[in-house]
């Protein structure tokens, strides 16, 4: 069992639609941390099997008129390092694609990273997954977590 970080940088609706894939990971993970935009934090906190939620509003989430703030990236690196994650899965590419977030996660010390639709992943991704056809986002997320080694299983329930 491992500590896994799952990044889902869309809105609350995308976080909730990825719930089945997130549950699939949590059933096999020792600890699951979900990285979401702050605006989607409430949606992330209701998903079963999620142990920690990191809210993030820096680069890789949305453009701001002032541009990216280095402090937000440094804060994210600190938060991810504190979780001692063995792997990260980037579900649904964030607006600029998964590679900027993959770079931040590498800088945070995450040793194994998977995403889909990455273009040219270079050495940032250990698994660059491309499901056949053009399935809906929820199916893409489940396909990625299965390709990363998390087979379907009963969802782990968090005690109340």
């Amino acid at each position: 069992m491992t500590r896994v970080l799952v990044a889902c940088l869309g809105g609350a609706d995308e976080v909730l639609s990825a719930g089945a894939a997130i549950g699939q990971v949590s059933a096999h993970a020792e600890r699951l941390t979900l990285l979401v935009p702050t605006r989607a934090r409430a949606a992330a906190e209701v998903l079963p099997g999620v142990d920690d939620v990191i809210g993030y509003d820096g680069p890789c989430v949305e453009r701001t008129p002032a541009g990216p703030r280095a402090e937000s990236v440094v804060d994210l690196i600190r938060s991810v390092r504190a979780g001692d994650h063995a792997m990260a899965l980037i579900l649904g590419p964030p607006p600029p694609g998964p590679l900027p977030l993959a770079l931040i996660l590498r800088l945070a010390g995450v040793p194994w990273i998977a995403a889909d639709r990455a273009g040219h992943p270079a050495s940032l991704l250990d698994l660059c997954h491309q499901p056949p056809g053009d399935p809906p986002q929820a199916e893409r997320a489940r396909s990625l977590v299965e390709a990363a080694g998390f087979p379907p299983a009963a969802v782990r329930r968090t005690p109340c």
Side-chain angles (χ1 to χ4, degrees):
M1 299 282 268
T2 58
R3 292 174 175 250
V4 181
L5 180 130
V6 175
C8 189
L9 297 182
D13 56 337
E14 291 174 6
V15 170
L16 294 173
S17 73
I22 293 165
Q24 197 168 320
V25 173
S26 75
H28 301 281
E30 170 188 327
R31 188 160 191 83
L32 175 71
T33 300
L34 194 53
L35 172 64
V36 298
T38 302
R39 70 182 185 276
R41 188 178 187 106
E45 290 173 343
V46 302
L47 292 175
V50 174
D51 297 300
D52 300 303
V53 177
I54 298 173
Y56 176 65
D57 290 325
C60 307
V61 176
E62 46 186 60
R63 283 196 163 134
T64 60
R69 294 179 324 120
E71 306 85 40
S72 66
V73 174
V74 171
D75 290 344
L76 178 58
I77 289 171
R78 284 187 186 125
S79 295
V80 172
R81 277 194 180 154
D84 193 27
H85 302 96
M87 65 188 324
L89 305 172
I90 303 172
L91 303 182
L99 296 181
L101 180 58
L103 176 59
I104 293 170
L105 296 175
R106 284 282 184 221
L107 292 172
V110 177
W112 196 90
I113 302 170
D116 90 300
R117 294 188 285 187
H120 188 282
S123 62
L124 291 174
L125 298 176
D126 298 287
L127 172 64
C128 181
H129 180 67
Q130 182 66 43
D134 189 22
Q137 188 56 42
E139 289 178 34
R140 292 186 80 83
R142 285 193 304 273
S143 179
L144 175 65
V145 300
E146 280 187 43
F150 297 96
V155 174
R156 175 174 55 107
R157 301 287 179 204
T158 305
C160 295

